[in-house]
Amino acid sequence: MTEPTNRLPLRILLVSTPVGPLGSGIGGGVELTLHSLVYGLGALGHHVEVMAPAGSLHVGAKVHQIEGTLQVSSQIGARDEPAQLPAGSVLAAMWNRVADIQDDFDVVINLAYDWLPLFLTRFMRVPVVHFISMGSLNDAMDSAIREVADRYPDRLGAHSRAQAASFCGDVPVPFRILANGIVTDRYDVHLSADDPPYLGSVGRISPEKGLEDVAELSSRTGMTVKVWGMMQDPVYWQQILDDHPDAHLEYCGFLPTDELQAAIGGCSALIMAHKWVEAFGNVAIEAMATGVPVITYDRGGPTEIVVDGETGYIVAADDVDALVGAVQRIEGIERIRCRQRVEEEYSTAALAGRVEQWLHEVVVAVRSSQA
Ligand code: HBI
């Protein structure tokens, strides 16, 4: 159904993650999503402002910089960890400011993976939607997500079906599947891999990324694997080097987007051997944007990005032999198809189009319920 194009531009407030200021890299994929939304929604003519912890880089639109104590990452702590706010919480301060300025906006998009914004949804005059950035991690968050879904079935967005499914116990939780998007102009296409060939791995150096399998792949193929990402767990990294003395792993550090894309473009393939349900896999679309095919375990978001046999390979999870087989077939992938797929599905325009449709439906539903 083609929606009427006579849509009023929306006034949108994007509320960022409280774990770190924009540009610090602490916010991981949320920073990339936020940048893409500012860029894409702005290009569609909407007015976009951002709310983020003080010290954030400028992101084009107006950024409300909020002082306060950063929030501990939800990735740390047990499932039954209670929701908690530190003294002087920046998350609380951000949402106090959202409440103060909400009438200047038609809709608020929350990008924080936190209990408070979910709980506050019903108390806000302006509709709040939640772009959930990770799979199920924590019981308090799961129940807050379910409560929003019960009261407002159209307010939850996720990157992938696999991520959304991780919240569904016996009762499905309604999520809008939005995937993600990147500024494709920032990525240069490499139509052929560097010679001699090498593989790539991108992501925080942390156990859920499954680098032990990447090391094993390197040992079995004799290929070098260049590893980019924030060194979050140096003990884990050292353990991998100790356990795989004949792996050729080259740690290349954490690079900001423009340098990363220039660096990964020469890879024969990007390897995704993750052990957790990766919510999406931004690195997969970033690699594909540079022409690099993706070989991924059949687990989580990346399986919804990679077109098996066309933009890479999806192999049995935790099966290193299958990774080896895929590496040996990588010449069968036409690298330009990887780029084209990103331009079709994962550009900022494609993401913004999906989000704009979502916001329009939410705003129309709220306005008709108020009429
Ligand atoms: N933890 N408490 C909390 N809040 C967030 O918004 C958050 C997080 N951990 C990681 C994170 N966001 C992002 O890096 C990922 O969603 C990508």
Side-chain angles (χ1 to χ4, degrees), residues 132-195:
I132 304 296
S133 60
M134 297 185 280
S136 167
L137 283 177
N138 168 281
D139 297 339
M141 269 297 285
D142 288 6
S143 56
I145 286 172
R146 187 173 295 284
E147 276 171 37
V148 167
D150 292 347
R151 192 182 291 272
Y152 307 104
D154 60 350
R155 299 294 184 82
L156 295 173
H159 290 294
S160 71
R161 292 186 299 279
Q163 176 202 352
S166 71
F167 292 98
C168 298
D170 40 7
V171 178
V173 177
F175 278 90
R176 190 97 179 197
I177 305 306
L178 301 163
N180 210 345
I182 54 175
V183 180
T184 46
D185 305 359
R186 295 177 71 182
Y187 298 77
D188 304 315
V189 191
H190 296 238
L191 292 178
S192 56
D194 286 355
D195 193 28

Side-chain angles (χ1 to χ4, degrees), residues 36-37 39-41 178-185 187 280 285 289 339-354:
S36 296
L37 288 174
Y39 192 95
L41 291 170
L178 301 163
N180 210 345
I182 54 175
V183 180
T184 46
D185 305 359
Y187 298 77
F280 182 67
I285 58 176
R339 170 69 182 211
Q340 288 164 346
R341 178 85 183 149
V342 176
E343 285 170 349
E344 290 152 12
E345 280 296 309
Y346 306 116
S347 63
T348 50
L351 171 65
R354 294 188 285 265

